[in-house]
Amino acid sequence: MNTDAVLRINNLHVHYQTPQGAVKAVDEVNLFVGRGERFGFVGESGCGKTTTALAILQMIQYPGKIVAGEILLEGKNLVELNAEEMRRTRWREVSLIPQGAMSSLNPVMRIKDQIADAILTHEGRSARTGLNQRIEDLLVTVGLQRPVAQMFPHELSGGMKQRVCVAMAIALKPKLIIADEPTSALDVVVQRIVTQTLIEVQERIGASLILIGHDMGLQAQIVHRLAIMYGGHLVEMATVKKIFQAPQHPYTQVLIGSVPSPKTKKSPFALPGLPPALLNPPPGCVFHPRCAKALEMCRTQVPPLHEIQAAHFVACHLYR
Amino acid sequence: MTRLNHIVRFLASNWKLTAGLTILLALILFGALGPVLISEEQLQLGAGGFTKPPTADHPLGTDTSGRDMLALMVYGTPVTLKIGLIAGLVATLAGVFLGIASGYLGGWFDELVRSAADVMMTIPAIAVLVVISSFTRDMSIELMGSIIALFAWPYTTRAIRAQTLSMREHGFVRMAKISGQSDLEVILKELMPNLLPYIAAGFVSAVSSGVLASVTLQLLGLGPLSKPSVALVLNLAFNYAALLRELWWMWMPPTVILIILFIGLFLTSMGMDEIANPRLKGARAK
Amino acid sequence: MGLSVGYVIRRIAMFLVVIWVAATINFIIPRLVPGDPIQTMLAHMAQTERIENAAAITQELRATYGLDAPIQEQYARYILNSFRFDFGLSLNQFPTKVGDLVLRAMPWTIGLLATTTLLSFGLGTLMGALLVWRGTPRWAQVMLTPFTFFAAVPYFLLAVVFLYLFAYVWKILPTGGVATAGAKAEWTLAYVGDVLQHFILPAAAMALAGLGNWMLGIRGMMVTTIGADYLNLAYAKGLTDRRIFFRYALRNAMLPQVTSLVIALGHIVSGAILIEVIFTLPGIGNLLYRSIGFLDYPMIQGITFVLVVSVAFSVLLLDLFYPRLDPRITYTRK
């Protein structure tokens, strides 16, 4: 899988400039996503998972800025593309299923026009023939009915809107789909169905999927591999199996321990202290103030991401 | 001292409000201090010869009835301001009362207030004002202000109602209600302090539209005729074709004063909006 | 979806109510003045004008207002006449019908003001939206900003300043009227050009003053729209900046502006009385101004009634067509 990576992120740093100084939203992130792979991104809000996703799309907004690193999509460095080249890359090669599907559709445009917009922009006039049929087929693929094409967003339920977003995301058969907590606003039953649909269409077009979320349980059922982020750092990355069976990083261990199960009745979250202030992060490992196993060196040295076993990466001084 | 510092820093951060208030203050002082320097006798008909260009005695000349132009400006500016203030005050009071009541209580009262406001907003104020003032030839300043307020309250009411509605759903209002405060207490202690910026912004814009309506009416030759107002003087200049006859001192002073007045009101209003709606401040996406 | 029959009927009923209220106000106000309304009118008129045919006018007024009939009948007749746009005869230009004078003045007013209103709406909306758009170059934003300050000064003061500078000081444009004195009103290139030249100054004053207001209006809405989720997704879709600006941002930010535009079109007659006075244009505004000067009561009432109707009618049209612009509004229930 290593050789056939669709996406490769090397040494990514994203900073937000504020009057008080730079906020390091993403700090030294390295990862890759294989072809057809479903890759999960987990962490608390503000840990940098969404920022990393936006960085792939080059949609970091001022005052945010990618200050260092490369983002290679099939070997093409997205960071170096100019605005027009990047615009052509978006959606055609990387699409997005947004977090707020409820409000992500233009309220005054019919569904078909919003999907057509994406198709026509990237494929040009020649795509006009059979466009309506193609859009309706897309809607059917995600489990919607054909008349939905003629509707306006306000006429759809939350789950239907999310399906429209899924249909839109696969319209151009991109190599990579980024789904940013795509189901967080839906109720549990709908969540499950939409997720199932997402997996089906992703497999059908053979795209890779990055799924961003904070729900470890949900991720475990969907993705192949997981990356755990904390305070802008990627702290652990491995297959779901390894992460759940043998979590290495103390933070991952807390996260796994917090997944509720009927067998062990324990308090769901046992982590003292608050998430780190990214404006003024603690020196050394960002996690050390909350870490039960912190060593002396954790206070001074930042642990690099290290492959402790085959395809199991951890950033922690305990495993050097 | 720290309080003063605080105010200074605030004013420096909102130059529009500072500039606007300064301009308005200057106009008020012009109207308040002027009478000390110029006696009211200068307003007498024929006091200084008819239609005379500026001289040492009459720095801005005299009008066709022989009144001193500077005296007209000094005594006329407060009249214009006063009508706008009365209109703004009445409209704001009505807006606060009706807006909070209809937003907070809802139900039939809300329905009634909203319908009334909707109907009032579709009636062109100037049309009705023209009819009323053409039959009431010489109305008082207070009456004119109140009549103008009759058409300004729907705007203040709507703005305050909308804010009340959104605040009613906020946690702090619900908390106060659950903790057993009476409706009146909730309104006075929780809503009012948070509504203040909107009320202030609404007041300023109500004064602005009040001044605009009164100036428009007076330029048409309507409204209080016994008191010389700046706009009435300009109306006189129109009637005597002052531009055509190159009597610049007849139209230029009132025009300049009115332009200054409107710029002052505009800047104050913009500055208030920035406080009430901070997102507008230096609005520009990056 | 769409408009329910009940809604349309309700809206039309509302329109009729507004007109009825306006006509009633017109009926009541003269009667609130103490004494015989016609004697009062004539007395007021006598203060300003010498009345030559007072007897004829008195008789005519009595007939118009039907003052000898019982009050209910007076009222019924007045309302009926109002709905037929029959306001009797002008006192100033006796015995021409008020309706005829209004009709004659109308094209000038609508021709000048509808054009300038639409022009300043289009330009102002675009300029105000560009003011806060992130794709707008810095230099363009710096150039656009000063135009918002035209919102500060009312159009009539701008008009006086323009008139003074362009017509009197620099003498490059005519001082007023619709055509050069003595020019023959006909459809020739020369005459039309002459008229257009006379329209430049009033149109510029009106359009510039409106421009600033439109810019400020759309700016506030645009700031809100720019933060919307659907704009973010539009970027992710790789749409061109131009398409996002027009179809996604401006299209949504404009909705409240359209409401204001329709109201403004309804108000053009009343909102621009002074422009016609300052530039001596033969439109409704000037007619009203002169009627006020002469205290030509039937004229004043007739014109103000037209003003109310034009606004009410615009609002009615807006309510009937707005769902086409904003599909979220369905009006099954209000």
Side-chain angles (χ1 to χ4, degrees):
Chain A
M1 195 131 57
N2 238 354
T3 48
D4 195 18
V6 167
L7 178 77
R8 209 170 250 293
I9 296 180
N10 296 327
N11 301 321
L12 183 68
H13 291 256
V14 180
H15 289 186
Y16 282 85
Q17 294 301 333
T18 70
Q20 289 81 36
V23 173
K24 295 173 181 170
V26 174
D27 200 350
E28 189 72 30
V29 163
N30 290 280
L31 59 86
F32 64 89
V33 178
R35 191 171 301 281
E37 183 182 34
R38 289 192 291 274
F39 184 84
F41 247 138
V42 183
E44 310 165 284
S45 41
C47 71
K49 53 191 197 296
T50 298
T51 307
T52 308
L54 289 178
I56 299 170
L57 284 159
Q58 302 289 303
M59 278 175 54
I60 305 277
Q61 293 214 351
Y62 181 88
K65 197 174 183 325
I66 297 176
V67 290
E70 345 175 86
I71 297 170
L72 301 170
L73 186 72
E74 303 225 296
K76 178 167 69 175
N77 188 356
L78 301 183
V79 179
E80 284 173 353
L81 296 185
N82 67 30
E84 180 60 18
E85 289 164 342
M86 190 58 220
R87 183 185 68 71
R88 290 177 192 279
T89 304
R90 286 190 196 118
W91 219 256
R92 168 157 243 169
E93 295 176 42
V94 193
S95 67
L96 173 75
I97 299 172
Q99 191 164 18
M102 302 298 282
S103 50
S104 285
L105 297 171
N106 186 348
V108 297
M109 269 171 95
R110 290 181 197 280
I111 300 300
K112 66 163 191 199
D113 293 330
Q114 305 200 35
I115 300 179
D117 237 2
I119 296 176
L120 293 175
T121 301
H122 292 282
E123 295 184 3
R125 286 175 169 274
S126 60
R128 274 195 192 283
T129 41
L131 184 62
N132 280 340
Q133 184 64 33
R134 180 173 165 192
I135 289 169
E136 287 183 10
D137 289 347
L138 275 170
L139 293 174
V140 170
T141 312
V142 296
L144 291 168
Q145 296 191 313
R146 292 180 185 271
V148 169
Q150 302 297 330
M151 292 186 174
F152 286 102
H154 73 275
E155 298 171 85
L156 307 178
S157 71
M160 289 164 89
K161 280 186 220 176
Q162 192 54 274
R163 283 163 189 270
V164 169
C165 286
V166 173
M168 197 138 70
I170 58 166
L172 302 178
K173 299 198 168 58
K175 294 164 190 143
L176 177 65
I177 301 170
I178 299 172
D180 187 2
E181 306 204 24
T183 57
S184 57
L186 305 175
D187 67 65
V188 184
V189 179
V190 184
Q191 232 175 45
R192 192 161 289 270
I193 303 170
V194 172
T195 309
Q196 198 54 47
T197 310
L198 178 59
I199 294 174
E200 276 169 33
V201 296
Q202 172 255 336
E203 285 180 345
R204 182 182 303 192
I205 67 169
S208 307
L209 175 74
I210 292 181
L211 181 70
I212 298 167
H214 52 258
D215 184 342
M216 282 294 260
L218 190 72
Q219 293 273 1
Q221 299 168 16
I222 301 171
V223 301
H224 303 125
R225 237 158 25 99
L226 261 179
I228 317 289
M229 284 194 79
Y230 182 84
H233 290 259
L234 202 159
V235 296
E236 186 161 1
M237 177 165 72
T239 60
V240 170
K241 205 171 163 191
K242 279 186 183 156
I243 293 262
F244 271 79
Q245 283 175 355
Q248 299 298 311
H249 196 281
Y251 177 63
T252 316
Q253 289 166 358
V254 177
L255 275 187
I256 299 298
S258 73
V259 176
S261 90
K263 279 179 233 159
T264 52
K265 288 195 176 167
K266 56 196 170 186
S267 68
F269 212 75
L271 194 57
L274 295 165
L278 296 177
L279 180 61
N280 219 337
C285 173
V286 270
F287 187 60
H288 85 258
R290 302 167 83 183
C291 183
K293 302 172 185 165
L295 307 170
E296 196 46 46
M297 68 186 305
C298 296
R299 295 178 210 286
T300 51
Q301 289 179 36
V302 182
L305 194 69
H306 187 68
E307 192 167 9
I308 56 161
Q309 296 168 30
H312 195 151
F313 298 83
V314 181
C316 182
H317 288 306
L318 294 172
Y319 307 100
R320 296 293 312 261
Chain B
M1 197 56 212
T2 45
R3 202 182 170 80
L4 192 70
N5 258 333
H6 202 73
I7 294 172
V8 168
R9 197 159 342 127
F10 171 74
L11 288 178
S13 72
N14 193 333
W15 71 268
K16 283 174 190 155
L17 186 62
T18 314
L21 287 176
T22 310
I23 290 174
L24 294 182
L25 201 69
L27 280 176
I28 291 170
L29 284 179
F30 175 71
L33 297 182
V36 182
L37 304 172
I38 298 173
S39 94
E40 211 171 343
E41 284 167 24
Q42 298 285 345
L43 292 178
Q44 300 277 315
L45 299 184
F50 301 98
T51 332
K52 285 277 184 316
T55 57
D57 280 349
H58 305 286
L60 290 178
T62 59
D63 77 349
T64 48
S65 333
R67 297 177 293 181
D68 179 66
M69 281 300 291
L70 185 60
L72 282 173
M73 295 302 103
V74 164
Y75 288 95
T77 303
V79 173
T80 303
L81 283 172
K82 215 167 144 188
I83 297 175
L85 272 177
I86 292 171
L89 212 60
V90 174
T92 308
L93 281 177
V96 168
F97 180 75
L98 293 174
I100 291 181
S102 78
Y104 188 80
L105 299 176
W108 65 268
F109 186 75
D110 184 35
E111 191 83 11
L112 183 76
V113 169
R114 249 187 20 206
S115 313
D118 280 351
V119 170
M120 285 305 282
M121 281 200 279
T122 55
I123 296 177
I126 209 78
V128 181
L129 291 173
V130 162
V131 173
I132 296 177
S133 35
S134 65
F135 280 95
T136 331
R137 284 307 283 161
D138 194 17
M139 57 174 70
S140 66
I141 291 172
E142 291 77 14
L143 179 64
M144 181 150 186
S146 309
I147 293 179
I148 291 173
L150 202 64
F151 291 91
W153 71 265
Y155 298 92
T156 46
T157 303
R158 247 165 71 136
I160 289 168
R161 176 183 169 275
Q163 288 306 326
T164 308
L165 267 183
S166 84
M167 266 175 213
R168 197 177 63 172
E169 301 308 319
H170 275 216
F172 67 96
V173 174
R174 289 194 172 175
M175 271 308 282
K177 275 178 110 168
I178 293 168
S179 65
Q181 292 192 27
S182 72
D183 282 348
L184 196 65
E185 271 178 313
V186 174
I187 289 174
L188 289 180
K189 285 192 194 154
E190 309 292 336
L191 278 178
M192 276 302 233
N194 290 292
L195 281 174
L196 264 178
Y198 301 98
I199 295 173
F203 174 68
V204 174
S205 62
V207 170
S208 297
S209 53
V211 169
L212 182 63
S214 79
V215 165
T216 307
L217 283 179
Q218 288 168 348
L219 286 181
L220 291 172
L222 298 165
L225 298 177
S226 54
K227 288 250 165 70
S229 74
V230 179
L232 211 53
V233 173
L234 187 55
N235 169 253
L236 209 69
F238 287 166
N239 284 346
Y240 284 92
L243 267 168
L244 188 70
R245 291 157 62 179
E246 297 181 342
L247 310 173
W248 63 267
W249 62 90
M250 271 192 69
W251 64 266
M252 217 184 260
T255 306
V256 169
I257 286 194
L258 286 177
I259 288 179
I260 293 174
L261 170 61
F262 280 110
I263 289 178
L265 286 169
F266 175 76
L267 289 174
T268 310
S269 176
M270 294 276 285
M272 291 304 302
D273 274 349
E274 279 178 10
I275 297 173
N277 187 0
R279 263 205 294 187
L280 280 176
K281 181 155 184 163
R284 109 179 201 86
K286 299 106 230 162
Chain C
M1 272 303 287
L3 301 177
S4 65
V5 178
Y7 174 77
V8 174
I9 291 174
R10 260 184 58 142
R11 286 303 303 130
I12 292 175
M14 179 104 159
F15 167 72
L16 294 177
V17 166
V18 169
I19 293 182
W20 168 68
V21 169
T24 306
I25 292 176
N26 260 347
F27 176 80
I28 292 174
I29 287 176
R31 286 167 179 79
L32 287 182
V33 185
D36 181 72
I38 288 177
Q39 289 311 320
T40 317
M41 283 184 200
L42 288 176
H44 280 325
M45 284 180 72
Q47 288 172 3
T48 49
E49 287 301 312
R50 180 174 299 122
I51 299 171
E52 286 135 10
N53 38 8
I57 289 179
T58 310
Q59 202 176 17
E60 186 53 45
L61 279 178
R62 291 214 166 269
T64 309
Y65 290 88
L67 285 183
D68 299 322
I71 191 96
Q72 311 90 302
E73 202 186 311
Q74 287 178 35
Y75 180 64
R77 191 188 305 177
Y78 189 83
I79 297 292
L80 200 69
N81 284 341
S82 291
F83 274 83
R84 285 166 25 203
F85 277 100
D86 181 359
F87 291 92
L89 304 178
S90 160
L91 305 184
N92 178 26
Q93 301 182 46
F94 196 79
T96 324
K97 275 194 170 161
V98 167
D100 291 346
L101 287 170
V102 170
L103 274 183
R104 219 177 291 162
M106 201 63 123
W108 292 110
T109 301
I110 293 182
L112 172 68
L113 295 176
T115 323
T116 50
T117 305
L118 289 173
L119 195 76
S120 69
F121 170 79
L123 275 176
T125 302
L126 194 63
M127 287 164 72
L130 284 173
L131 202 58
V132 289
W133 186 245
R134 63 170 152 189
T136 312
R138 192 89 188 100
W139 61 264
Q141 271 164 341
V142 170
M143 286 209 8
L144 287 173
T145 309
F147 284 95
T148 55
F149 285 91
F150 281 112
V153 185
Y155 71 92
F156 47 82
L157 294 177
L158 219 51
V160 172
V161 174
F162 279 13
L163 183 62
Y164 175 64
L165 292 178
F166 290 95
Y168 288 99
V169 177
W170 299 323
K171 299 188 191 331
I172 46 177
L173 285 166
T175 57
V178 286
T180 310
K184 252 175 94 183
E186 53 195 9
W187 285 108
T188 60
L189 206 63
Y191 182 72
V192 171
D194 191 32
V195 170
L196 286 181
Q197 209 184 9
H198 280 78
F199 273 4
I200 291 178
L201 275 184
M206 293 292 298
L208 272 178
L211 192 74
N213 281 311
W214 294 121
M215 284 178 75
L216 290 178
I218 191 83
R219 190 189 69 153
M221 287 312 301
M222 200 71 176
V223 170
T224 315
T225 312
I226 281 173
D229 285 341
Y230 53 81
L231 230 71
N232 227 10
L233 188 64
Y235 273 110
K237 274 157 81 176
L239 305 183
T240 57
D241 212 44
R242 186 195 180 85
R243 186 148 185 91
I244 300 173
F245 177 73
F246 282 109
R247 289 294 298 269
Y248 288 73
L250 191 58
R251 176 73 171 74
N252 278 287
M254 247 181 70
L255 290 175
Q257 288 279 102
V258 175
T259 310
S260 313
L261 171 67
V262 177
I263 307 274
L265 283 175
H267 277 285
I268 51 176
V269 187
S270 59
I273 298 166
L274 287 164
I275 205 84
E276 296 180 359
V277 174
I278 293 166
F279 289 99
T280 52
L281 302 172
I284 300 275
N286 212 344
L287 197 61
L288 178 62
Y289 182 71
R290 273 182 290 139
S291 309
I292 294 170
F294 285 111
L295 287 175
D296 185 345
Y297 287 103
M299 271 313 285
I300 295 175
Q301 295 209 329
I303 293 175
T304 51
F305 187 76
V306 170
L307 302 188
V308 173
V309 171
S310 62
V311 176
F313 189 64
S314 316
V315 173
L316 176 69
L317 285 184
L318 174 73
D319 282 345
L320 296 184
F321 287 102
Y322 197 70
R324 296 209 142 266
L325 292 176
D326 188 348
R328 282 164 294 186
I329 311 260
T330 51
Y331 293 131
T332 43
R333 198 193 87 84
K334 194 175 175 186

